[in-house]
Amino acid sequence: MAPDDRPDGTPGVLADPGRPALGEPVLEIRDLVKHYPLTRGVLFKKQIGAVKAVDGVSFDLRKGETLGIVGESGCGKSTLAKMLVGLERPTSGQIRYQGQDIATLSGRALKAVRRNIQMVFQDPYTSLNPRMTVGDIIGEPYEIHPEAAPKGDRRKKVQDLLDVVGLNPEYINRYPHQFSGGQRQRIGIARGLALRPEIIVADEPVSALDVSVQAQVVNLLEALQDEFDLSYVFIAHDLSVVRHISDRVAVMYLGRLAETGTDEQIYEHPTHPYTQALLSAVPVPDPEAREHRERILLTGDVPSPADPPSGCRFRTRCWKAQPLCAEVVPPLEVPEAFREEGPARHPSACHFAEERHVVPGE
Amino acid sequence: MTDTDEPAPAGTGQEAAPLLEVRDLRVEFRTRDGIAKAVNGVSYRVAAGQTLAVLGESGSGKSVTAQAVMGILDSPPGFVTGGEVLFQGRDLLTLGREERRKVRGAKMAMIFQDALSSLNPVLSVGAQLGEMFQVHEGMSRKEARGRSVELMERVGIPAARARVGDYPHQFSGGMRQRIMIAMALALAPDLIIADEPTTALDVTVQAQVMDLLAELQREYRMGLILITHDLGVVADVADTIAVMYAGRIVETAPVHQLYKAPAHPYTRGLLESIPRLDHKGQELYAIKGLPPNLTAIPPGCPFNPRCPLARDICVTDRPPLYDVGPGRASACHFWKETLDGAR
């Protein structure tokens, strides 16, 4: 394990030897919470509860790295993404960028920060205005942040961006419907790059795309990261894509992080039962694995975030659950059993963490 | 060799007549922008108890083929312009509306991707399930309700008796998909066509639903056509695979052989472009370019503009489905080279 591990057990930047040493944290998330109130009544609204979409999430994003966030629908990963780019205000907690808590900023200060944190959306069909030309779509960030590009330069800049994402710069006057899904996603990426941000939050950026086109867009995102020194928060439900693109991975379940670590730690040495179940359920494109794979089938559905289980949120579907799990919330830290040097030594929010290899192959 | 006398996919029971045999099916959509040739001579067979996976990307014609087989093609703009759909020996395309309707549901059923929009939102699931028994089997409402509860239990819906009166929106995505499966199974069909049945589901739920489907298929010895773009799901359940591109089958093979040694460059490109769960890997292989516009399919091999092996003949001559081994066929002039791993 790397010598620069943090006291809270988060693996340090040296933990992944495959990459050059990554820089300082560019984004520090602390105890982030987003509750959506549930109300009753029309005239006199009374709060009767809250949907706890995100309920205490902490992590760091470091310069130049890709942090993958995986989880199933309803786990809060998209709400988290929206808070990171300032589209939603957290109920509590901090999002620190360059030492400032962006959750408390407003007006001009918030606008300045937002320039550096851009978002790429999932659906290339609905996230582009059908009545705007590609040039207007990609250039729109310059209308909001005119200081980023003087008016005369904009057309040239937009054409450069089209070139960067692999589209013909002459397409600048075309409309979104004249492009395929993969090309539209490239347009969305070009828009995200327009202001030369430091951080890009990508929420399921390739899940709407066909396999052959998905590979093109993943490769593009990786090339752009190197070219522009970007840090990515890459949110997806496809565990294979996340492994491919991420330096570190966080597994999210019902508003909280269950396990965090390098791709190697999470995929080869998972210690949280949810991660293990999730990995074991992924269909692997190898018919030989059919016979000798061990699949952990979870029973039931994810509980409602309006009424999450006490203690460990996963306990209602966990085959290891004990009375303790209902009483005490397991903290996200390196479990007692894995304090020794080794790949299982990474934060896992389980009272009964055990290493189990579940990914077939290798 | 023509498209119609292609080698039969392996494991489809040569001795008995196949349950379903599609021969040289052609479908086109007449649109304002011209005629989109969605299906251009597709042939496949499924036997009882067998699973045929039809793999393809959007626009490959995999769903349109299934819709034509089921007789639920939107027409206009879609028209079946040729071919036969032999189901238990009868050509469904020659049947009248009423007769076709009797086959659909009772003998063959379909499961769709999006359960929420496929179920009627203003009827309880019990009423929707029961309707099948009332219409097709003439049961009373009470009997039908009893059967509905049994079916819901069979597909693993907890507290079925209490939930039979609930509406679709009151169920989770996975449970709704189970209800769709229950509806498809209601009249004990011989063939099920499942069009991306788990694509909208989370991975843990997807595993549950696919397991259920496979179990029921074994139990009732149904033929299953699984339409999907997911190479992982296919590897898990299929016996044979048909890979579609631009409205044609470009390769068909038993599942193990296809993954081990693809005989068509498109299949190989697909297999190489998916990221792996078991290792991080380097840069992904990406098939260059885009699938063709169906109103202007390239001459020769439709894959030639994207193919790393393409030569002059690929632009001029359309490759037939060559017999490339037992139960295997590939529509590539250079299938030998592809099998040998040429790039």
Side-chain angles (χ1 to χ4, degrees), chain A residues 66 123 131 155 162 164 213 265 269-270 344:
Chain A
T66 299
D123 188 347
R131 289 161 182 257
R155 199 177 161 83
L162 281 169
V164 160
V213 177
Q265 288 169 338
H269 308 278

Side-chain angles (χ1 to χ4, degrees), chain B:
Chain B
M1 191 194 251
T2 65
D3 285 346
T4 44
D5 57 9
E6 69 171 79
T12 49
Q14 318 294 358
E15 67 287 349
L19 179 64
L20 175 79
E21 180 169 6
V22 176
R23 281 194 197 155
D24 200 27
L25 188 71
R26 288 165 197 275
V27 179
E28 60 184 38
F29 287 87
R30 296 173 192 155
T31 70
R32 265 189 318 184
D33 303 328
I35 293 176
K37 301 201 174 244
V39 180
N40 305 300
V42 163
S43 305
Y44 56 59
R45 294 178 187 182
V46 197
Q50 290 284 312
T51 300
L52 168 75
V54 181
L55 187 80
E57 300 184 280
S58 31
S60 64
K62 57 188 195 301
S63 297
V64 175
T65 307
Q67 286 165 7
V69 169
M70 278 297 287
I72 54 168
L73 192 66
D74 269 337
S75 182
F79 296 92
V80 176
T81 55
E84 292 170 275
V85 176
L86 298 171
F87 181 72
Q88 294 170 334
R90 271 202 301 178
D91 186 359
L92 297 184
L93 296 180
T94 61
L95 296 184
R97 258 180 109 91
E98 247 336 278
E99 277 181 286
R100 194 90 198 257
R101 206 169 74 92
K102 279 184 196 145
V103 174
R104 189 164 57 228
K107 300 274 184 194
M108 55 204 289
M110 193 152 173
I111 298 168
F112 299 92
Q113 171 176 348
D114 184 358
L116 189 57
S117 59
S118 313
L119 296 170
N120 187 336
V122 297
L123 284 180
S124 70
V125 299
Q128 291 181 64
L129 281 166
E131 191 181 16
M132 318 249 315
F133 298 114
Q134 288 173 268
V135 171
H136 283 272
E137 296 188 355
M139 284 187 190
S140 73
R141 187 183 290 204
K142 200 173 164 202
E143 282 171 318
R145 199 174 178 85
R147 285 298 304 276
S148 306
V149 173
E150 277 170 36
L151 259 179
M152 285 169 71
E153 279 168 352
R154 181 64 199 85
V155 297
I157 292 170
R161 193 162 297 278
R163 301 209 64 183
V164 67
D166 283 0
Y167 291 84
H169 74 270
Q170 293 172 290
F171 291 86
S172 69
M175 287 299 149
R176 276 199 292 266
Q177 205 62 5
R178 285 172 192 267
I179 290 165
M180 282 254 288
I181 292 175
M183 284 186 80
L185 280 177
L187 303 173
D190 300 310
L191 176 73
I192 290 212
I193 301 179
D195 190 356
E196 305 269 12
T198 59
T199 305
L201 303 178
D202 279 319
V203 57
T204 56
V205 181
Q206 170 178 311
Q208 296 168 2
V209 171
M210 278 318 299
D211 275 20
L212 172 70
L213 202 54
E215 185 192 317
L216 293 169
Q217 187 206 4
R218 271 196 305 276
E219 194 178 317
Y220 297 107
R221 252 185 79 73
M222 294 178 295
L224 174 66
I225 299 178
L226 178 71
I227 297 163
T228 181
H229 69 283
D230 188 326
L231 287 146
V233 171
V234 171
D236 261 355
V237 300
D239 297 305
T240 46
I241 301 183
V243 182
M244 285 189 72
Y245 187 80
R248 287 193 172 75
I249 291 181
V250 294
E251 177 167 9
T252 158
V255 63
H256 289 270
Q257 273 98 317
L258 185 116
Y259 282 81
K260 211 177 284 162
H264 195 286
Y266 175 63
T267 314
R268 195 178 56 209
L270 282 183
L271 284 170
E272 287 179 1
S273 60
I274 34 175
R276 303 279 309 203
L277 192 64
D278 56 2
H279 56 255
K280 190 172 176 69
Q282 300 297 310
E283 194 183 347
L284 291 177
Y285 174 80
I287 301 173
K288 64 179 180 187
L290 299 168
N293 180 341
L294 296 174
T295 58
I297 297 174
C301 170
F303 188 58
N304 84 69
R306 308 177 72 190
C307 182
L309 295 179
R311 281 174 242 173
D312 292 347
I313 184 178
C314 305
V315 184
T316 53
D317 292 11
R318 173 153 298 152
L321 261 177
Y322 295 104
D323 189 343
V324 306
R328 295 197 66 171
S330 164
C332 176
H333 291 303
F334 300 101
W335 62 267
K336 268 199 201 89
E337 290 81 346
T338 309
L339 268 179
D340 292 343
R343 257 141 231 284

Side-chain angles (χ1 to χ4, degrees), chain A residues 13-320:
Chain A
V13 290
L14 301 176
D16 185 356
R19 285 245 164 186
L22 303 162
E24 293 295 295
V26 283
L27 208 56
E28 294 168 279
I29 313 300
R30 293 292 174 269
D31 292 319
L32 204 59
V33 172
K34 178 73 193 180
H35 289 182
Y36 294 97
L38 288 172
T39 55
R40 181 181 286 161
V42 181
L43 208 50
F44 302 99
K45 282 202 175 135
K46 203 174 113 196
Q47 188 171 343
I48 54 163
V51 173
K52 294 166 181 145
V54 174
D55 208 16
V57 164
S58 305
F59 61 84
D60 283 358
L61 176 71
R62 298 190 184 82
K63 183 85 190 156
E65 82 167 345
T66 299
L67 175 72
I69 297 180
V70 289
E72 299 183 282
S73 39
C75 74
K77 55 192 195 301
S78 292
T79 305
L80 178 63
K82 286 184 194 152
M83 287 193 282
L84 297 183
V85 296
L87 288 176
E88 286 278 4
R89 266 185 188 276
T91 307
S92 66
Q94 295 185 320
I95 304 169
R96 284 203 292 270
Y97 170 76
Q98 293 180 337
Q100 285 176 300
D101 179 8
I102 65 171
T104 61
L105 296 180
S106 59
R108 192 171 298 168
L110 179 63
K111 200 170 147 186
V113 170
R114 274 182 174 173
R115 208 185 128 170
N116 289 313
I117 309 175
Q118 291 290 311
M119 185 149 179
V120 173
F121 296 90
Q122 167 174 2
D123 188 347
Y125 294 88
T126 56
S127 60
L128 305 178
N129 187 335
R131 289 161 182 257
M132 283 166 77
T133 65
V134 165
D136 291 339
I137 289 171
I138 299 175
E140 196 174 25
Y142 299 134
E143 304 284 329
I144 299 155
H145 300 272
E147 74 284 2
K151 256 208 156 95
D153 284 0
R154 286 181 195 166
R155 199 177 161 83
K156 176 81 185 64
K157 283 211 162 203
V158 168
Q159 288 185 321
D160 288 348
L161 282 165
L162 281 169
D163 191 43
V164 160
V165 297
L167 292 173
N168 187 340
E170 285 166 22
Y171 291 171
I172 187 162
N173 291 325
R174 294 198 180 184
Y175 288 87
H177 75 265
Q178 294 173 288
F179 295 89
S180 71
Q183 290 173 323
R184 276 186 246 206
Q185 200 54 302
R186 289 173 192 265
I187 296 167
I189 292 169
R191 175 176 59 187
L193 287 174
L195 299 168
R196 289 293 153 90
E198 260 192 280
I199 298 165
I200 286 193
V201 178
D203 187 6
E204 302 271 13
V206 297
S207 45
L209 306 178
D210 274 320
V211 187
S212 71
V213 177
Q214 174 176 305
Q216 296 172 356
V217 174
V218 167
N219 287 342
L220 171 67
L221 285 170
E222 292 190 304
L224 294 173
Q225 180 167 45
D226 292 343
E227 194 175 338
F228 299 107
D229 247 345
L230 294 165
S231 307
Y232 286 145
V233 176
F234 189 95
I235 294 172
H237 69 280
D238 184 325
L239 287 124
S240 306
V241 172
V242 167
R243 173 159 207 189
H244 177 80
I245 204 166
S246 305
D247 301 296
R248 288 190 302 132
V249 178
V251 181
M252 201 166 173
Y253 185 80
L254 211 54
R256 293 212 182 113
L257 297 186
E259 187 167 4
T260 61
T262 63
D263 79 278
E264 170 86 17
Q265 288 169 338
I266 297 292
Y267 286 79
E268 302 299 329
H269 308 278
T271 65
H272 195 287
Y274 178 62
T275 312
Q276 292 163 355
L278 203 56
L279 286 171
S280 83
V282 178
V284 176
D286 175 12
E288 309 296 331
R290 233 194 253 187
E291 285 79 30
H292 47 84
R293 74 179 301 184
E294 180 194 6
R295 191 172 255 169
I296 305 166
L297 275 189
L298 290 180
T299 49
D301 287 310
V302 183
S304 161
D307 184 21
S310 64
C312 172
R313 301 222 156 156
F314 183 58
R315 69 177 167 84
T316 51
R317 299 172 79 197
C318 184
W319 62 97
K320 287 188 190 174

